[in-house]
């Protein structure tokens, strides 16, 4: 038991690397907020654009969604970070991770919102248009709120999964929580920094999970 405590719950090691781990946690939170905001907005916009039913545009959106959902996020990040310099573009790991994870979240969001829009009765949009509302107004004020309500549960689950995927940014030298914990593990030859990082993820994600459940209960379809 003493050996286990020394290897995974060493207070001296935890205190020594705590400042670095806190900096990494802030980077993780910053990246998560950036990815979730941009991914959700882009996904909703793509779903709304798809509802216009322009055949060529719809095909491009469908291809984008299928490709982004099929590829592992880590592969997109690695190819973007190490491949862009061959095209003359040197991008930071933070930027590449933000773009890659945002595109993946946007693809899932688009498909979920589009499914919600497609599930609504046609009569609702026709009735709204008969009152003189434009197509954009019908989407924004009538259809989109109902679609989001219907897909709230899977959408919040996808957001949580995307937040956890921000740990993949450590592969391209983003100093997030996992990267700082891995570095501290190497320096200290002790797994305590990883345990502290796990606690940090729990402190960040458990409230998010609780908030998502509250949203699901608030907006579930009766």
């Amino acid at each position: 038991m003493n050996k286990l405590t020394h290897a995974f719950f060493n207070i001296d090691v935890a205190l020594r690397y705590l400042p670095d781990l806190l900096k990494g946690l802030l980077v993780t939170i910053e990246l998560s907020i950036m990815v979730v905001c941009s991914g959700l907005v882009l996904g909703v916009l793509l779903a709304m654009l798809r509802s216009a039913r322009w055949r060529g545009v719809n095909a491009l959106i469908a291809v984008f969604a299928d490709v982004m959902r099929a590829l592992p996020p880590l592969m997109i990040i690695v190819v973007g970070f190490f491949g862009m310099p061959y095209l003359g573009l040197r991008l930071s790991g933070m930027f590449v991770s933000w773009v890659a994870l945002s595109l993946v979240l946007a693809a899932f969001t688009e498909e979920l919102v589009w499914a919600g829009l497609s599930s609504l009765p046609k009569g609702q949009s026709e009735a709204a248009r008969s009152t003189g509302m434009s197509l954009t107004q019908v989407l924004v004020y009538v259809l989109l709120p109902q679609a989001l309500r219907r897909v709230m549960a899977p959408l919040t689950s996808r957001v949580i999964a995307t937040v956890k995927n921000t740990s993949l940014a450590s592969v391209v030298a983003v100093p997030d929580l996992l990267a700082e914990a891995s570095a501290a593990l190497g320096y200290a030859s002790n797994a305590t920094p990883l345990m502290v990082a796990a606690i940090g993820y729990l402190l960040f994600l458990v409230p998010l999970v609780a908030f998502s459940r509250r949203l699901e209960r608030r907006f579930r379809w009766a």
Side-chain angles (χ1 to χ4, degrees):
M1 192 65 183
N2 289 335
K3 290 182 179 180
L4 178 66
T5 303
H6 177 78
F8 289 93
F9 303 99
N10 192 309
I11 300 299
D12 293 334
V13 173
L15 293 177
R16 189 190 317 161
Y17 294 101
L18 185 59
D20 294 330
L21 295 174
L22 289 176
K23 291 179 183 178
L25 178 59
L26 291 177
V27 173
T28 294
I29 294 174
E30 178 185 1
L31 180 59
S32 298
I33 293 174
M34 292 167 56
V35 168
V36 170
C37 290
S38 56
L40 289 178
V41 170
L42 179 59
V44 171
L45 290 176
L46 288 175
M48 293 175 64
L49 183 61
R50 191 172 177 180
S51 65
R53 301 188 182 279
W54 295 323
R55 184 171 299 178
V57 174
N58 282 14
L60 290 175
I61 295 175
V63 170
F64 162 77
D66 291 344
V67 170
M68 287 295 108
R69 289 188 300 154
L71 289 175
L74 179 60
M75 181 181 294
I76 302 173
I77 293 173
V78 170
V79 171
F81 184 74
F82 293 104
M84 288 297 103
Y86 290 101
L87 301 178
L89 296 174
R90 295 191 175 275
L91 305 174
S92 67
M94 186 75 166
F95 180 81
V96 171
S97 300
W98 168 54
V99 172
L101 294 175
S102 295
L103 291 178
V104 173
L105 178 58
F108 280 98
T109 301
E110 185 277 327
E111 285 297 301
L112 289 171
V113 176
W114 170 245
L117 290 171
S118 300
S119 69
L120 296 174
K122 250 183 158 184
Q124 293 203 22
S125 59
E126 294 172 353
R129 290 299 300 273
S130 68
T131 64
M133 298 176 69
S134 66
L135 178 60
T136 302
Q137 290 175 323
V138 171
L139 277 172
V140 173
Y141 297 114
V142 179
L143 302 181
L144 188 59
Q146 297 182 74
L148 290 175
R149 184 175 181 176
R150 291 193 173 194
V151 301
M152 186 59 65
L155 188 58
T156 53
S157 297
R158 175 49 51 183
V159 168
I160 292 170
T162 301
V163 171
K164 291 193 292 184
N165 280 340
T166 58
S167 61
L168 299 174
S170 61
V171 176
V172 289
V174 175
D176 70 334
L177 181 55
L178 182 60
E180 294 292 351
S182 300
L185 171 65
Y187 292 137
S189 298
N190 189 286
T192 300
L194 287 180
M195 300 306 297
V196 176
I199 294 172
Y201 278 112
L202 287 174
L203 292 176
F204 176 40
L205 287 173
V206 168
L208 182 60
V209 171
F211 178 69
S212 70
R213 286 182 177 174
R214 184 173 181 181
L215 277 180
E216 291 170 16
R217 289 195 301 269
R218 174 67 178 81
F219 293 104
R220 76 182 164 197
W221 197 261

